[in-house]
Amino acid sequence: MPKAASSLEALLADDEIEGVIITTPNDTHRDLIIAALEAGKAVYTDKPITHTLEHALDVREAVHRTGAVFAVGHSARRLSGSRVMKQWIDGGGLGEVSLAEANFSNERGLELTPETWRWYADKSPGGTFIQLGVHHADNLQYLLGPVARVSAHARKLYTESEVPDAVMAILEFESGALGYIGCGWASPGIYQIRLQGTKANLMYDLDFTHWDESHQADEWSTLVSQGYRDMTRKPVALPATDMFREQLDEFALAIRGEAEVEVGIDEAIRALAVVRAALESSSRGGQAVEMGPLLAGLGVA
Amino acid sequence: MPKAASSLEALLADDEIEGVIITTPNDTHRDLIIAALEAGKAVYTDKPITHTLEHALDVREAVHRTGAVFAVGHSARRLSGSRVMKQWIDGGGLGEVSLAEANFSNERGLELTPETWRWYADKSPGGTFIQLGVHHADNLQYLLGPVARVSAHARKLYTESEVPDAVMAILEFESGALGYIGCGWASPGIYQIRLQGTKANLMYDLDFTHWDESHQADEWSTLVSQGYRDMTRKPVALPATDMFREQLDEFALAIRGEAEVEVGIDEAIRALAVVRAALESSSRGGQAVEMGPLLAGLGVA
């Protein structure tokens, strides 16, 4: 039976509760995560892990100190399209990937009000890039491995809020491949990933307005492939998944020691570090920011 | 009746010839253009105008000195999709454009041999970006106005030639909008442009393998629009055009004083300058290169 706790303290003191799910504003994640970990709970938090790398570092220390199960909701990599793209890459169907382009955009920047936390630069630094771009920062590293450096430009164009509504970032992967993430917050919605390989291209397209219906989100997506010297695009079958159920099942099983968490502290920090590197690069006129020193400073190998 | 000249000198000495069309390798453009201009001919040349800005500057001097008609074959802006996107922008149908993304890629980098001029960095600097990207450098400036600065990364990944086969560039327009051009030379072919505005998005897609059949190239293209808070994509009608015929008709009429050249010396230099700025930026780790000083040094306002 679901029950409501009267306070955070009451919730954390309830021995029946083994795991805590955090879906509060980003800038409140750190303190809630650490309080829950220290109360002996496993923790699942929405993406991004925290709104700053400094907060993420504090979380990392607490995760290591408590040894508790910790998971971050980068659910997009569990969409059927992401999984199938990964299978193609691992199976060699794409050949060598040289370019990967992703875009996640929506109208939200035009609709923000000062009553919402996403309006503020100190609560949501990077605007569209920390809210939307961080999904692709995880997706692309899931698909192509670690990012080595990031060049970006972030602009506040048509939103009245404090944060950027137009961001473009170029990622260089350790593999040598180049990646691109475009994020607008002042246009109709887009969620796309395109991979260009020596043998084939793959193009994924999602109507994310059905995101919350995770049991059927894949029905609102398409993946097409394109072969060498062939301009036709062939539909690729996408087996049904349920990204939210899968990650919460995994979280529950991990608490019982019966599963491994796929997106834990280091994966989540790698995604957030791309956001941070992009903002730093933008403030330096696009000069590439190296991920290595940024991650080493956080203790992430 | 078509006739063949036995030499360049014979061709330029033939008073019946009013205009010369140059389709030779890029690094030979300058000398041929200047020779033709000085022989009193009008000149139409394939894109890019020249392979370096230094050569373009010499051409510019000769164009101004002779006062001859001079046109550059940036034909892609004449595709029906480009024209209709421009009408939407000018008519306000997109609202304010914040992001513009373009990609032009093909397999050519994998198929180059040392027998072909595009193999060599001194004949085709920038590889995929000067051969393919320069089209979008013109398209995007045609659509959104002048570029103010460029950040880019160019890499030689899977081609055996001397030149880059993977290039990503972020453009900042004087309007404030951000643009992106992705160019691969080691994957199946792509030709796309996407515009994201506060009122609507437009996505254009072309099967460029029918490029040379310019009288029906539009039949191999699609343009779709997407409205505010609407994920559906609606086909936009594309009236038939014939990009090559149109620009050659314009060239012929311009010789008779009955038309203006749409893409002349300054438009062509602006497109090539984006290529140059991208390569400079790449050599500086992505640091943005300002277009103003680059163009001022060339005398382009």
Side-chain angles (χ1 to χ4, degrees), chain A residues 56-89:
Chain A
L57 187 57
D58 292 343
V59 169
R60 187 166 191 272
E61 187 279 327
V63 167
H64 286 176
R65 174 162 45 84
T66 62
V69 168
F70 179 69
V72 181
H74 279 291
S75 49
R77 64 156 73 186
R78 299 178 193 260
L79 287 161
S80 192
S82 310
R83 296 305 202 195
V84 173
M85 284 190 277
K86 177 74 166 152
Q87 288 162 12
W88 275 60
I89 292 171

PDB file of all heavy atoms in Angstrom, chain A residues 56-89:
ATOM      1  N   ALA A  56      28.037  17.247  -7.458  1.00  0.00           N
ATOM      2  CA  ALA A  56      28.191  15.845  -7.855  1.00  0.00           C
ATOM      3  C   ALA A  56      29.365  15.198  -7.132  1.00  0.00           C
ATOM      4  O   ALA A  56      29.318  14.017  -6.765  1.00  0.00           O
ATOM      5  CB  ALA A  56      28.380  15.748  -9.370  1.00  0.00           C
ATOM      6  N   LEU A  57      30.399  15.984  -6.924  1.00  0.00           N
ATOM      7  CA  LEU A  57      31.575  15.469  -6.207  1.00  0.00           C
ATOM      8  C   LEU A  57      31.207  15.097  -4.773  1.00  0.00           C
ATOM      9  O   LEU A  57      31.643  14.053  -4.248  1.00  0.00           O
ATOM     10  CB  LEU A  57      32.677  16.538  -6.229  1.00  0.00           C
ATOM     11  CG  LEU A  57      34.044  16.151  -5.678  1.00  0.00           C
ATOM     12  CD1 LEU A  57      34.597  14.943  -6.422  1.00  0.00           C
ATOM     13  CD2 LEU A  57      35.004  17.340  -5.803  1.00  0.00           C
ATOM     14  N   ASP A  58      30.397  15.926  -4.128  1.00  0.00           N
ATOM     15  CA  ASP A  58      29.936  15.623  -2.766  1.00  0.00           C
ATOM     16  C   ASP A  58      29.102  14.326  -2.767  1.00  0.00           C
ATOM     17  O   ASP A  58      29.228  13.501  -1.858  1.00  0.00           O
ATOM     18  CB  ASP A  58      29.090  16.774  -2.207  1.00  0.00           C
ATOM     19  CG  ASP A  58      29.915  18.032  -1.971  1.00  0.00           C
ATOM     20  OD1 ASP A  58      31.160  17.926  -1.923  1.00  0.00           O
ATOM     21  OD2 ASP A  58      29.312  19.118  -1.861  1.00  0.00           O
ATOM     22  N   VAL A  59      28.266  14.183  -3.782  1.00  0.00           N
ATOM     23  CA  VAL A  59      27.450  12.965  -3.876  1.00  0.00           C
ATOM     24  C   VAL A  59      28.357  11.754  -4.052  1.00  0.00           C
ATOM     25  O   VAL A  59      28.167  10.703  -3.429  1.00  0.00           O
ATOM     26  CB  VAL A  59      26.437  13.068  -5.041  1.00  0.00           C
ATOM     27  CG1 VAL A  59      25.780  11.713  -5.318  1.00  0.00           C
ATOM     28  CG2 VAL A  59      25.381  14.129  -4.735  1.00  0.00           C
ATOM     29  N   ARG A  60      29.344  11.901  -4.896  1.00  0.00           N
ATOM     30  CA  ARG A  60      30.257  10.787  -5.163  1.00  0.00           C
ATOM     31  C   ARG A  60      30.949  10.334  -3.866  1.00  0.00           C
ATOM     32  O   ARG A  60      31.087   9.131  -3.598  1.00  0.00           O
ATOM     33  CB  ARG A  60      31.295  11.226  -6.198  1.00  0.00           C
ATOM     34  CG  ARG A  60      32.188  10.102  -6.684  1.00  0.00           C
ATOM     35  CD  ARG A  60      32.942  10.524  -7.952  1.00  0.00           C
ATOM     36  NE  ARG A  60      33.592   9.370  -8.549  1.00  0.00           N
ATOM     37  CZ  ARG A  60      34.810   8.946  -8.231  1.00  0.00           C
ATOM     38  NH1 ARG A  60      35.507   9.584  -7.323  1.00  0.00           N
ATOM     39  NH2 ARG A  60      35.312   7.871  -8.816  1.00  0.00           N
ATOM     40  N   GLU A  61      31.362  11.307  -3.094  1.00  0.00           N
ATOM     41  CA  GLU A  61      32.030  10.968  -1.822  1.00  0.00           C
ATOM     42  C   GLU A  61      31.075  10.171  -0.940  1.00  0.00           C
ATOM     43  O   GLU A  61      31.454   9.148  -0.346  1.00  0.00           O
ATOM     44  CB  GLU A  61      32.500  12.266  -1.144  1.00  0.00           C
ATOM     45  CG  GLU A  61      33.345  12.077   0.094  1.00  0.00           C
ATOM     46  CD  GLU A  61      32.523  11.791   1.346  1.00  0.00           C
ATOM     47  OE1 GLU A  61      31.384  12.318   1.457  1.00  0.00           O
ATOM     48  OE2 GLU A  61      33.010  11.009   2.208  1.00  0.00           O
ATOM     49  N   ALA A  62      29.822  10.604  -0.868  1.00  0.00           N
ATOM     50  CA  ALA A  62      28.844   9.919  -0.007  1.00  0.00           C
ATOM     51  C   ALA A  62      28.499   8.531  -0.533  1.00  0.00           C
ATOM     52  O   ALA A  62      28.304   7.591   0.249  1.00  0.00           O
ATOM     53  CB  ALA A  62      27.576  10.776   0.127  1.00  0.00           C
ATOM     54  N   VAL A  63      28.424   8.393  -1.858  1.00  0.00           N
ATOM     55  CA  VAL A  63      28.150   7.075  -2.450  1.00  0.00           C
ATOM     56  C   VAL A  63      29.270   6.111  -2.091  1.00  0.00           C
ATOM     57  O   VAL A  63      29.032   4.976  -1.665  1.00  0.00           O
ATOM     58  CB  VAL A  63      27.987   7.191  -3.991  1.00  0.00           C
ATOM     59  CG1 VAL A  63      28.013   5.805  -4.646  1.00  0.00           C
ATOM     60  CG2 VAL A  63      26.697   7.932  -4.334  1.00  0.00           C
ATOM     61  N   HIS A  64      30.500   6.567  -2.212  1.00  0.00           N
ATOM     62  CA  HIS A  64      31.638   5.689  -1.914  1.00  0.00           C
ATOM     63  C   HIS A  64      31.721   5.387  -0.426  1.00  0.00           C
ATOM     64  O   HIS A  64      32.022   4.263  -0.014  1.00  0.00           O
ATOM     65  CB  HIS A  64      32.932   6.326  -2.426  1.00  0.00           C
ATOM     66  CG  HIS A  64      33.050   6.246  -3.919  1.00  0.00           C
ATOM     67  ND1 HIS A  64      34.080   6.804  -4.634  1.00  0.00           N
ATOM     68  CD2 HIS A  64      32.243   5.678  -4.852  1.00  0.00           C
ATOM     69  CE1 HIS A  64      33.907   6.571  -5.922  1.00  0.00           C
ATOM     70  NE2 HIS A  64      32.796   5.905  -6.079  1.00  0.00           N
ATOM     71  N   ARG A  65      31.430   6.387   0.392  1.00  0.00           N
ATOM     72  CA  ARG A  65      31.530   6.222   1.846  1.00  0.00           C
ATOM     73  C   ARG A  65      30.477   5.246   2.359  1.00  0.00           C
ATOM     74  O   ARG A  65      30.779   4.383   3.198  1.00  0.00           O
ATOM     75  CB  ARG A  65      31.377   7.593   2.532  1.00  0.00           C
ATOM     76  CG  ARG A  65      31.315   7.563   4.046  1.00  0.00           C
ATOM     77  CD  ARG A  65      31.603   8.945   4.642  1.00  0.00           C
ATOM     78  NE  ARG A  65      30.893  10.023   3.960  1.00  0.00           N
ATOM     79  CZ  ARG A  65      29.634  10.390   4.212  1.00  0.00           C
ATOM     80  NH1 ARG A  65      28.926   9.764   5.146  1.00  0.00           N
ATOM     81  NH2 ARG A  65      29.082  11.397   3.569  1.00  0.00           N
ATOM     82  N   THR A  66      29.256   5.367   1.827  1.00  0.00           N
ATOM     83  CA  THR A  66      28.171   4.516   2.336  1.00  0.00           C
ATOM     84  C   THR A  66      28.111   3.172   1.614  1.00  0.00           C
ATOM     85  O   THR A  66      27.546   2.213   2.156  1.00  0.00           O
ATOM     86  CB  THR A  66      26.803   5.214   2.153  1.00  0.00           C
ATOM     87  OG1 THR A  66      26.578   5.421   0.749  1.00  0.00           O
ATOM     88  CG2 THR A  66      26.766   6.548   2.884  1.00  0.00           C
ATOM     89  N   GLY A  67      28.672   3.124   0.420  1.00  0.00           N
ATOM     90  CA  GLY A  67      28.593   1.874  -0.346  1.00  0.00           C
ATOM     91  C   GLY A  67      27.175   1.524  -0.766  1.00  0.00           C
ATOM     92  O   GLY A  67      26.892   0.390  -1.180  1.00  0.00           O
ATOM     93  N   ALA A  68      26.293   2.488  -0.720  1.00  0.00           N
ATOM     94  CA  ALA A  68      24.885   2.222  -1.039  1.00  0.00           C
ATOM     95  C   ALA A  68      24.657   2.148  -2.545  1.00  0.00           C
ATOM     96  O   ALA A  68      25.467   2.634  -3.339  1.00  0.00           O
ATOM     97  CB  ALA A  68      24.007   3.329  -0.445  1.00  0.00           C
ATOM     98  N   VAL A  69      23.554   1.513  -2.922  1.00  0.00           N
ATOM     99  CA  VAL A  69      23.148   1.482  -4.329  1.00  0.00           C
ATOM    100  C   VAL A  69      22.745   2.894  -4.750  1.00  0.00           C
ATOM    101  O   VAL A  69      21.963   3.566  -4.053  1.00  0.00           O
ATOM    102  CB  VAL A  69      21.964   0.516  -4.530  1.00  0.00           C
ATOM    103  CG1 VAL A  69      21.349   0.684  -5.920  1.00  0.00           C
ATOM    104  CG2 VAL A  69      22.424  -0.926  -4.313  1.00  0.00           C
ATOM    105  N   PHE A  70      23.271   3.349  -5.881  1.00  0.00           N
ATOM    106  CA  PHE A  70      22.977   4.699  -6.362  1.00  0.00           C
ATOM    107  C   PHE A  70      22.783   4.647  -7.878  1.00  0.00           C
ATOM    108  O   PHE A  70      23.638   4.123  -8.595  1.00  0.00           O
ATOM    109  CB  PHE A  70      24.123   5.665  -6.015  1.00  0.00           C
ATOM    110  CG  PHE A  70      23.900   7.062  -6.503  1.00  0.00           C
ATOM    111  CD1 PHE A  70      22.912   7.856  -5.927  1.00  0.00           C
ATOM    112  CD2 PHE A  70      24.648   7.582  -7.543  1.00  0.00           C
ATOM    113  CE1 PHE A  70      22.687   9.155  -6.382  1.00  0.00           C
ATOM    114  CE2 PHE A  70      24.431   8.874  -8.005  1.00  0.00           C
ATOM    115  CZ  PHE A  70      23.449   9.659  -7.423  1.00  0.00           C
ATOM    116  N   ALA A  71      21.665   5.187  -8.317  1.00  0.00           N
ATOM    117  CA  ALA A  71      21.339   5.151  -9.753  1.00  0.00           C
ATOM    118  C   ALA A  71      20.819   6.511 -10.206  1.00  0.00           C
ATOM    119  O   ALA A  71      20.159   7.223  -9.442  1.00  0.00           O
ATOM    120  CB  ALA A  71      20.269   4.083 -10.022  1.00  0.00           C
ATOM    121  N   VAL A  72      21.127   6.861 -11.456  1.00  0.00           N
ATOM    122  CA  VAL A  72      20.682   8.139 -12.018  1.00  0.00           C
ATOM    123  C   VAL A  72      19.838   7.868 -13.258  1.00  0.00           C
ATOM    124  O   VAL A  72      20.179   7.017 -14.088  1.00  0.00           O
ATOM    125  CB  VAL A  72      21.891   9.043 -12.345  1.00  0.00           C
ATOM    126  CG1 VAL A  72      21.415  10.384 -12.895  1.00  0.00           C
ATOM    127  CG2 VAL A  72      22.746   9.262 -11.102  1.00  0.00           C
ATOM    128  N   GLY A  73      18.747   8.596 -13.372  1.00  0.00           N
ATOM    129  CA  GLY A  73      17.741   8.319 -14.400  1.00  0.00           C
ATOM    130  C   GLY A  73      18.050   8.828 -15.784  1.00  0.00           C
ATOM    131  O   GLY A  73      17.249   9.575 -16.365  1.00  0.00           O
ATOM    132  N   HIS A  74      19.176   8.420 -16.323  1.00  0.00           N
ATOM    133  CA  HIS A  74      19.413   8.703 -17.745  1.00  0.00           C
ATOM    134  C   HIS A  74      18.678   7.637 -18.547  1.00  0.00           C
ATOM    135  O   HIS A  74      19.282   6.731 -19.138  1.00  0.00           O
ATOM    136  CB  HIS A  74      20.914   8.712 -18.041  1.00  0.00           C
ATOM    137  CG  HIS A  74      21.567  10.011 -17.666  1.00  0.00           C
ATOM    138  ND1 HIS A  74      21.330  11.176 -18.350  1.00  0.00           N
ATOM    139  CD2 HIS A  74      22.419  10.333 -16.660  1.00  0.00           C
ATOM    140  CE1 HIS A  74      22.015  12.166 -17.802  1.00  0.00           C
ATOM    141  NE2 HIS A  74      22.681  11.687 -16.773  1.00  0.00           N
ATOM    142  N   SER A  75      17.372   7.789 -18.577  1.00  0.00           N
ATOM    143  CA  SER A  75      16.517   6.754 -19.150  1.00  0.00           C
ATOM    144  C   SER A  75      16.600   6.690 -20.672  1.00  0.00           C
ATOM    145  O   SER A  75      16.312   5.648 -21.268  1.00  0.00           O
ATOM    146  CB  SER A  75      15.066   6.999 -18.729  1.00  0.00           C
ATOM    147  OG  SER A  75      14.734   8.351 -18.961  1.00  0.00           O
ATOM    148  N   ALA A  76      17.018   7.788 -21.312  1.00  0.00           N
ATOM    149  CA  ALA A  76      16.945   7.841 -22.777  1.00  0.00           C
ATOM    150  C   ALA A  76      17.790   6.751 -23.427  1.00  0.00           C
ATOM    151  O   ALA A  76      17.440   6.258 -24.504  1.00  0.00           O
ATOM    152  CB  ALA A  76      17.367   9.220 -23.275  1.00  0.00           C
ATOM    153  N   ARG A  77      18.887   6.362 -22.791  1.00  0.00           N
ATOM    154  CA  ARG A  77      19.711   5.307 -23.389  1.00  0.00           C
ATOM    155  C   ARG A  77      18.993   3.961 -23.398  1.00  0.00           C
ATOM    156  O   ARG A  77      19.460   3.022 -24.042  1.00  0.00           O
ATOM    157  CB  ARG A  77      21.044   5.171 -22.656  1.00  0.00           C
ATOM    158  CG  ARG A  77      20.879   4.739 -21.214  1.00  0.00           C
ATOM    159  CD  ARG A  77      22.121   4.050 -20.692  1.00  0.00           C
ATOM    160  NE  ARG A  77      23.231   4.967 -20.454  1.00  0.00           N
ATOM    161  CZ  ARG A  77      24.449   4.555 -20.114  1.00  0.00           C
ATOM    162  NH1 ARG A  77      24.697   3.249 -20.010  1.00  0.00           N
ATOM    163  NH2 ARG A  77      25.416   5.420 -19.862  1.00  0.00           N
ATOM    164  N   ARG A  78      17.871   3.876 -22.651  1.00  0.00           N
ATOM    165  CA  ARG A  78      17.114   2.618 -22.605  1.00  0.00           C
ATOM    166  C   ARG A  78      15.996   2.575 -23.632  1.00  0.00           C
ATOM    167  O   ARG A  78      15.312   1.555 -23.772  1.00  0.00           O
ATOM    168  CB  ARG A  78      16.513   2.421 -21.216  1.00  0.00           C
ATOM    169  CG  ARG A  78      17.569   2.342 -20.124  1.00  0.00           C
ATOM    170  CD  ARG A  78      16.915   2.207 -18.748  1.00  0.00           C
ATOM    171  NE  ARG A  78      17.858   2.438 -17.671  1.00  0.00           N
ATOM    172  CZ  ARG A  78      18.460   1.472 -16.961  1.00  0.00           C
ATOM    173  NH1 ARG A  78      18.209   0.213 -17.215  1.00  0.00           N
ATOM    174  NH2 ARG A  78      19.301   1.780 -16.003  1.00  0.00           N
ATOM    175  N   LEU A  79      15.783   3.688 -24.352  1.00  0.00           N
ATOM    176  CA  LEU A  79      14.818   3.649 -25.448  1.00  0.00           C
ATOM    177  C   LEU A  79      15.277   2.605 -26.464  1.00  0.00           C
ATOM    178  O   LEU A  79      16.473   2.399 -26.670  1.00  0.00           O
ATOM    179  CB  LEU A  79      14.720   5.023 -26.128  1.00  0.00           C
ATOM    180  CG  LEU A  79      13.988   6.091 -25.325  1.00  0.00           C
ATOM    181  CD1 LEU A  79      14.345   7.483 -25.836  1.00  0.00           C
ATOM    182  CD2 LEU A  79      12.472   5.876 -25.407  1.00  0.00           C
ATOM    183  N   SER A  80      14.329   1.985 -27.106  1.00  0.00           N
ATOM    184  CA  SER A  80      14.650   0.915 -28.042  1.00  0.00           C
ATOM    185  C   SER A  80      15.622   1.399 -29.120  1.00  0.00           C
ATOM    186  O   SER A  80      16.563   0.694 -29.492  1.00  0.00           O
ATOM    187  CB  SER A  80      13.372   0.383 -28.685  1.00  0.00           C
ATOM    188  OG  SER A  80      13.615  -0.817 -29.374  1.00  0.00           O
ATOM    189  N   GLY A  81      15.427   2.613 -29.592  1.00  0.00           N
ATOM    190  CA  GLY A  81      16.304   3.139 -30.635  1.00  0.00           C
ATOM    191  C   GLY A  81      17.747   3.215 -30.186  1.00  0.00           C
ATOM    192  O   GLY A  81      18.671   2.873 -30.934  1.00  0.00           O
ATOM    193  N   SER A  82      17.971   3.653 -28.935  1.00  0.00           N
ATOM    194  CA  SER A  82      19.339   3.725 -28.416  1.00  0.00           C
ATOM    195  C   SER A  82      19.948   2.332 -28.349  1.00  0.00           C
ATOM    196  O   SER A  82      21.104   2.116 -28.739  1.00  0.00           O
ATOM    197  CB  SER A  82      19.349   4.338 -27.012  1.00  0.00           C
ATOM    198  OG  SER A  82      18.625   5.538 -26.968  1.00  0.00           O
ATOM    199  N   ARG A  83      19.155   1.381 -27.835  1.00  0.00           N
ATOM    200  CA  ARG A  83      19.664   0.008 -27.686  1.00  0.00           C
ATOM    201  C   ARG A  83      20.017  -0.603 -29.034  1.00  0.00           C
ATOM    202  O   ARG A  83      21.054  -1.265 -29.180  1.00  0.00           O
ATOM    203  CB  ARG A  83      18.614  -0.858 -26.977  1.00  0.00           C
ATOM    204  CG  ARG A  83      18.277  -0.443 -25.540  1.00  0.00           C
ATOM    205  CD  ARG A  83      19.495  -0.378 -24.664  1.00  0.00           C
ATOM    206  NE  ARG A  83      19.147  -0.487 -23.243  1.00  0.00           N
ATOM    207  CZ  ARG A  83      19.987  -0.180 -22.255  1.00  0.00           C
ATOM    208  NH1 ARG A  83      21.216   0.283 -22.520  1.00  0.00           N
ATOM    209  NH2 ARG A  83      19.613  -0.304 -20.993  1.00  0.00           N
ATOM    210  N   VAL A  84      19.152  -0.382 -30.028  1.00  0.00           N
ATOM    211  CA  VAL A  84      19.412  -0.977 -31.347  1.00  0.00           C
ATOM    212  C   VAL A  84      20.612  -0.296 -32.018  1.00  0.00           C
ATOM    213  O   VAL A  84      21.442  -0.956 -32.659  1.00  0.00           O
ATOM    214  CB  VAL A  84      18.148  -0.925 -32.229  1.00  0.00           C
ATOM    215  CG1 VAL A  84      18.448  -1.391 -33.651  1.00  0.00           C
ATOM    216  CG2 VAL A  84      17.044  -1.796 -31.611  1.00  0.00           C
ATOM    217  N   MET A  85      20.726   1.011 -31.853  1.00  0.00           N
ATOM    218  CA  MET A  85      21.909   1.696 -32.416  1.00  0.00           C
ATOM    219  C   MET A  85      23.186   1.133 -31.797  1.00  0.00           C
ATOM    220  O   MET A  85      24.189   0.911 -32.489  1.00  0.00           O
ATOM    221  CB  MET A  85      21.817   3.210 -32.172  1.00  0.00           C
ATOM    222  CG  MET A  85      20.834   3.912 -33.102  1.00  0.00           C
ATOM    223  SD  MET A  85      20.921   5.735 -33.018  1.00  0.00           S
ATOM    224  CE  MET A  85      19.896   6.024 -31.576  1.00  0.00           C
ATOM    225  N   LYS A  86      23.146   0.903 -30.500  1.00  0.00           N
ATOM    226  CA  LYS A  86      24.315   0.350 -29.813  1.00  0.00           C
ATOM    227  C   LYS A  86      24.647  -1.055 -30.341  1.00  0.00           C
ATOM    228  O   LYS A  86      25.824  -1.383 -30.544  1.00  0.00           O
ATOM    229  CB  LYS A  86      24.038   0.310 -28.309  1.00  0.00           C
ATOM    230  CG  LYS A  86      25.122  -0.305 -27.455  1.00  0.00           C
ATOM    231  CD  LYS A  86      26.329   0.584 -27.305  1.00  0.00           C
ATOM    232  CE  LYS A  86      27.237   0.076 -26.179  1.00  0.00           C
ATOM    233  NZ  LYS A  86      28.637   0.468 -26.456  1.00  0.00           N
ATOM    234  N   GLN A  87      23.609  -1.850 -30.599  1.00  0.00           N
ATOM    235  CA  GLN A  87      23.846  -3.190 -31.157  1.00  0.00           C
ATOM    236  C   GLN A  87      24.509  -3.101 -32.532  1.00  0.00           C
ATOM    237  O   GLN A  87      25.405  -3.885 -32.856  1.00  0.00           O
ATOM    238  CB  GLN A  87      22.523  -3.969 -31.262  1.00  0.00           C
ATOM    239  CG  GLN A  87      21.965  -4.410 -29.914  1.00  0.00           C
ATOM    240  CD  GLN A  87      20.480  -4.773 -29.998  1.00  0.00           C
ATOM    241  OE1 GLN A  87      19.920  -4.913 -31.074  1.00  0.00           O
ATOM    242  NE2 GLN A  87      19.846  -4.919 -28.844  1.00  0.00           N
ATOM    243  N   TRP A  88      24.040  -2.153 -33.339  1.00  0.00           N
ATOM    244  CA  TRP A  88      24.659  -1.985 -34.672  1.00  0.00           C
ATOM    245  C   TRP A  88      26.129  -1.615 -34.532  1.00  0.00           C
ATOM    246  O   TRP A  88      26.983  -2.127 -35.256  1.00  0.00           O
ATOM    247  CB  TRP A  88      23.929  -0.891 -35.456  1.00  0.00           C
ATOM    248  CG  TRP A  88      22.721  -1.349 -36.203  1.00  0.00           C
ATOM    249  CD1 TRP A  88      21.602  -1.917 -35.671  1.00  0.00           C
ATOM    250  CD2 TRP A  88      22.503  -1.276 -37.617  1.00  0.00           C
ATOM    251  NE1 TRP A  88      20.698  -2.193 -36.660  1.00  0.00           N
ATOM    252  CE2 TRP A  88      21.218  -1.811 -37.860  1.00  0.00           C
ATOM    253  CE3 TRP A  88      23.249  -0.800 -38.685  1.00  0.00           C
ATOM    254  CZ2 TRP A  88      20.678  -1.882 -39.151  1.00  0.00           C
ATOM    255  CZ3 TRP A  88      22.722  -0.862 -39.965  1.00  0.00           C
ATOM    256  CH2 TRP A  88      21.449  -1.404 -40.191  1.00  0.00           C
ATOM    257  N   ILE A  89      26.413  -0.680 -33.627  1.00  0.00           N
ATOM    258  CA  ILE A  89      27.811  -0.259 -33.444  1.00  0.00           C
ATOM    259  C   ILE A  89      28.647  -1.443 -32.992  1.00  0.00           C
ATOM    260  O   ILE A  89      29.690  -1.758 -33.593  1.00  0.00           O
ATOM    261  CB  ILE A  89      27.904   0.883 -32.415  1.00  0.00           C
ATOM    262  CG1 ILE A  89      27.270   2.157 -32.978  1.00  0.00           C
ATOM    263  CG2 ILE A  89      29.353   1.130 -32.010  1.00  0.00           C
ATOM    264  CD1 ILE A  89      27.114   3.269 -31.951  1.00  0.00           C
TER     265      ILE A  89
END
